[in-house]
Amino acid sequence: MNIPTIRPVSVDEIETWDFEADVVVAGFGIAGVSAAIGAAESGADVLVLERTGGGGGAAALSGGIVYLGGGTRLQKACGFDDSPENMKIFLAEALGPGVDESKLDEYCRGSVAHFEWLEACGVSYKESFWSQPGWECPADDSLMYSGGENAAPFNALVEPAPRGHLARVPMPRTGEQGAGHVLMTTLIAKASTLGVRVETDVRVQQLVTDGSGRVVGMVATQFGKTVAVRARGGVVLATGSFAYNDEMMQTYAPRLYKRPAATVEEHDGRSILMAQALGASLAHMEATEVAFFCDPQLIARGILVNGRGQRYVPEDTYPGRIGQLTMYQNDNQAYLIIDEEAYEEGIAAPSSSPQLRHAPTWVCETVAELEAEMGLPEGALTSTVDLYNRHAGKGEDPVLGKKSEWVKPIGSPIAAIDLRGMTGGFTLGGLRTTVDSEVLHVDGTPIPGLYAAGRCTSGLSAWGYCSGISLGDGSFFGRRAGTRAAGS
Amino acid sequence: MNIPTIRPVSVDEIETWDFEADVVVAGFGIAGVSAAIGAAESGADVLVLERTGGGGGAAALSGGIVYLGGGTRLQKACGFDDSPENMKIFLAEALGPGVDESKLDEYCRGSVAHFEWLEACGVSYKESFWSQPGWECPADDSLMYSGGENAAPFNALVEPAPRGHLARVPMPRTGEQGAGHVLMTTLIAKASTLGVRVETDVRVQQLVTDGSGRVVGMVATQFGKTVAVRARGGVVLATGSFAYNDEMMQTYAPRLYKRPAATVEEHDGRSILMAQALGASLAHMEATEVAFFCDPQLIARGILVNGRGQRYVPEDTYPGRIGQLTMYQNDNQAYLIIDEEAYEEGIAAPSSSPQLRHAPTWVCETVAELEAEMGLPEGALTSTVDLYNRHAGKGEDPVLGKKSEWVKPIGSPIAAIDLRGMTGGFTLGGLRTTVDSEVLHVDGTPIPGLYAAGRCTSGLSAWGYCSGISLGDGSFFGRRAGTRAAGS
């Protein structure tokens, strides 16, 4: 295969421009469509280059949660108080260590307005709240907890508020149509009404620079033909993560290598490399989202133990946090210990992920038998269950702080579900950008003409994650990229 | 302060060269001196640019362990069998995940010859083995375990062999003179006999490139004056880590931000940025060494528990592994639980770090009293000690695999030493280089004329660490950088 170089090409080498626009956006996922709308709303002539045959990207396949707060209309309608300050306190802790304070600050202060912008773009919300544990919402409610705000340790830090905002979906659902699909369809339609042009089956290959180092276009391939695309105002990179770039994964996120989830194969990291070739700076390349493949309705009703039989996370928290702590802090070893009554109750509960309701791996009458079956050292699991039950009788969990509503002594028969290696995810690191989505050179100054947003950048997450952050910062900083590239 | 740009300068802008050499080496620590010797031995005219008033760098202040194996003369003299294969199996596990297989392979296969080269450079070794737990060796023995090779889980993976090689030091010691100082003094003397020139008080600022993109020199400041240095063959970057660059630390290693240890303030990451401005690729920027500030002679004799009162590491392993697991996997929370008899025995044992023998924070008659004093939930520590003692009576530790010689039931009186936050360290990530120390562009090809080694590169460690790896890969790949830059 002849892979073109990722080094920039000089504008002097371009003989003719095949396409031209004020703002050229690479990628038509959440960040790209938001950039396109933002630029078009600022009066720019916009061209989107999309690698596949249509728009949507990973966002259209996702659960569609957008992380917003600070007192959105929807939060208020559902009876929740929130403030930008509380939102920031929570996110700084949940997404760290190492969050970009200035980005987080802008995001929290601008969140209510961003929600209004999404509504103005045509995204509709139902004024109802989903209160159950879950990766996503199985009903058509539009608000949910999506980051463990109401679980330990965060619920002791700041007043919890749900911030997962979901586009209204038609009920009864048909097929797999979810909030992500609805969100993207709506935004793509909005872009279309604004006159945004889209070229599909276009693979971006190189940035074009002028003598001063300014980015003035891109070289791409379309149906096997090389095309040159001129950007009179600016280029916006919005091509997603590097979850499918083997070398980058081995270099930056080796624990997630060959374990992609909630990502698409187009996420090959090329935009990151193209910008690096211009001296672009990176941030938090090792940060990843980590999904945990077990139904949260089961997890909350049992106790999770690691390979030594020890608990390590409050089981009622955001399952992505469980995934991160399992993979990075517990060698990807996890077992769910749950008694029959709790298991039956979990199975009967409404869920967005019934396919993650694993059958018990081992079932025994006593914990001692179970730990022997599991191959754990004598007493390892018994001591854990005894300690849990000692406090659970009073509805308390002083060791990890699981909320009282989920705390019940574990009885008999007792099962263990083998969840070792039940993780996967996508990358969160990428290009270092300003709050206006300018790509930063390693000398700390913006690279003229170059903008980026979404998962090819390092956004709000520095290590931790909440569901809705990718669609949140992708749309928020994507819109800013478009607005800025349009010269506003 | 007027900080010059880190962007490259064109050779056309250089009016006169203040210095010239075949090979110009930036930095005179372990990687720099090895590069200088390697280049000079290959017949090159070599100039070293050192930022401080003299050579040595962090290496001269270090414990001086060089990680070598595969059957060195010293290993054999001390009665240990080793092979490159066993060395590689261990290191791939201990330094991962994500190790550079090709580098590791070269290093293990070349390790015996590298030891011989160090001896030929004048470094002397005493044929005796230090068998006690310790960060370093308090006697004048020259061989020791320095990576937990003989502890769980690694001792079950492959036959253990000690690979920490220490230069012979004069006894009785005078002052702080250690193996690192002796090593560096010897190598600097060797460089001098080979005619290597050294300019001190020189701060490198920019790389100089020609029209083809080849690195042909550097611009630096010396006593406030800007100087241009021509490199006819190549430039070797060997300026150390980025542990003292605030912005890079917040971006790449936020947990270690403001917690430097075993590093020097000159480690400002500038070489990494200068190369990035040419499109250089990075690797494993988040990897760090983590020291744990407690005497290993105490740690091995107690049990370490996290903030929940749970054990998490075999206490007889390499203390740097304890540091990493404490900081990254247990929220920097650690307590050493130890009974009076074991504490007294540990205090009486020989140690290289008597200043890390902390006094007990709490002392009680029973574990129940102790856990209450410590503020742990009722039963949290009791269940841990009960489980440990249940097996310790038989000299076993099935939960974490501490070796029998260190396993004894914990009696009364019992103490806890508060070790929360007792960590610090240095960074291990940096420029991506080939096995010949060529700096790689993000397009996968070497940047002509540019070489790098030591802690400004990503070397053998991808996440884990062993003592001696920095001096090991710094000298090994430093020498290769010099040889290669000299055109050999």
Side-chain angles (χ1 to χ4, degrees), chain A residues 49-342:
Chain A
L49 309 177
E50 164 59 28
R51 174 165 161 181
T52 70
L61 304 173
S62 78
I65 301 172
V66 182
Y67 199 94
L68 296 167
T72 65
R73 190 188 60 70
L74 182 62
Q75 285 181 308
K76 287 178 183 164
C78 293
F80 291 97
D81 280 333
D82 196 10
S83 68
E85 294 71 30
N86 280 1
M87 183 181 177
K88 189 179 171 188
I89 291 167
F90 168 76
L91 286 178
E93 193 67 23
L95 303 182
V99 292
D100 181 327
E101 289 277 343
S102 57
K103 267 188 189 172
L104 188 56
D105 204 49
E106 287 288 315
Y107 188 77
C108 293
R109 288 196 292 117
S111 194
V112 168
H114 191 61
F115 175 78
E116 289 166 3
W117 179 77
L118 287 169
E119 285 197 306
C121 285
V123 185
S124 170
Y125 296 89
K126 182 182 175 196
E127 294 177 2
S128 60
F129 169 65
W130 172 255
S131 67
Q132 300 273 315
W135 270 112
E136 293 162 16
C137 168
D140 63 349
D141 306 304
S142 279
L143 189 67
M144 65 180 287
Y145 282 105
S146 66
E149 297 83 351
N150 61 336
F154 305 119
N155 56 1
L157 179 75
V158 64
E159 186 65 31
R163 302 192 184 95
H165 288 60
L166 290 149
R168 182 195 294 263
V169 291
M171 293 297 263
R173 286 173 195 272
T174 52
E176 293 290 322
Q177 180 159 313
H181 182 80
V182 171
L183 174 71
M184 289 307 297
T185 309
T186 308
L187 293 178
I188 288 171
K190 172 70 179 178
S192 179
T193 65
L194 290 169
V196 168
R197 291 175 289 141
V198 182
E199 287 290 329
T200 58
D201 300 288
V202 178
R203 222 167 147 140
V204 296
Q205 304 288 4
Q206 292 173 280
L207 294 166
V208 180
T209 52
D210 69 12
S212 74
R214 181 181 182 84
V215 175
V216 297
M218 306 189 86
V219 167
T221 48
Q222 185 176 33
F223 305 118
K225 181 173 156 264
T226 299
V227 294
V229 185
R230 183 178 176 207
R232 288 180 295 258
V235 163
V236 179
L237 301 174
T239 56
S241 79
F242 60 92
Y244 276 92
N245 181 309
D246 280 356
E247 186 177 292
M248 291 177 81
M249 287 303 288
Q250 286 173 290
T251 297
Y252 294 115
R255 285 186 177 85
L256 212 58
Y257 178 56
K258 299 283 186 198
R259 310 171 76 80
T263 177
V264 293
E265 291 185 26
E266 289 74 25
H267 286 197
D268 65 359
R270 189 171 181 99
S271 283
I272 296 173
L273 299 174
M274 288 192 301
Q276 276 190 276
L278 292 181
S281 188
L282 304 177
H284 301 299
M285 292 297 282
E286 266 87 337
T288 70
E289 184 261 6
V290 183
F292 188 70
F293 302 130
C294 182
D295 188 346
Q297 290 280 26
L298 287 179
I299 301 172
R301 290 172 168 86
I303 61 171
L304 270 178
V305 301
N306 63 19
R308 296 186 292 272
Q310 302 165 326
R311 287 179 73 213
Y312 59 93
V313 63
E315 294 82 2
D316 60 345
T317 190
Y318 169 55
R321 184 167 163 81
I322 294 174
Q324 289 194 314
L325 298 189
T326 301
M327 195 167 82
Y328 290 113
Q329 300 191 353
N330 289 280
D331 296 326
N332 228 356
Q333 307 288 298
Y335 303 96
L336 181 67
I337 310 300
I338 188 166
D339 66 24
E340 188 175 58
E341 188 185 328

Side-chain angles (χ1 to χ4, degrees), chain A residues 6-7 251-252 276 279 282-284 286 310-311 328-329 378 387 390-391 432 441-443 445, chain B residues 6-7 247 251-252 276 282-284 286 310-311 328-329 378 387 390-391 432 441-443 445:
Chain A
I6 49 121
R7 294 187 187 233
T251 297
Y252 294 115
Q276 276 190 276
L282 304 177
H284 301 299
E286 266 87 337
Q310 302 165 326
R311 287 179 73 213
Y328 290 113
Q329 300 191 353
E378 194 182 305
L387 178 61
R390 173 182 193 151
H391 299 283
R432 190 180 181 90
H441 189 274
V442 287
D443 74 359
T445 64
Chain B
I6 49 122
R7 293 185 187 234
E247 186 176 293
T251 297
Y252 294 115
Q276 275 190 276
L282 304 177
H284 300 299
E286 266 88 336
Q310 301 164 327
R311 288 178 73 212
Y328 289 112
Q329 301 192 354
E378 195 182 304
L387 178 61
R390 174 182 194 151
H391 298 284
R432 190 179 180 91
H441 189 274
V442 287
D443 75 359
T445 64

Side-chain angles (χ1 to χ4, degrees), chain A residues 393-449:
Chain A
K394 290 170 281 181
E396 290 169 7
D397 176 26
V399 176
L400 280 149
K402 182 158 70 162
K403 288 187 296 294
S404 188
E405 63 184 293
W406 302 110
V407 175
K408 248 197 281 191
I410 298 172
S412 175
I414 181 171
I417 302 175
D418 187 349
L419 299 171
R420 289 176 292 180
M422 287 276 185
T423 51
F426 54 84
T427 63
L428 300 169
L431 298 169
R432 190 180 181 90
T433 52
T434 67
V435 293
D436 289 314
S437 305
E438 301 155 300
V439 175
L440 285 168
H441 189 274
V442 287
D443 74 359
T445 64
I447 296 174

Side-chain angles (χ1 to χ4, degrees), chain A residues 35-51:
Chain A
I37 296 172
E41 285 181 335
S42 303
D45 168 42
V46 183
L47 174 65
V48 175
L49 309 177
E50 164 59 28
R51 174 165 161 181

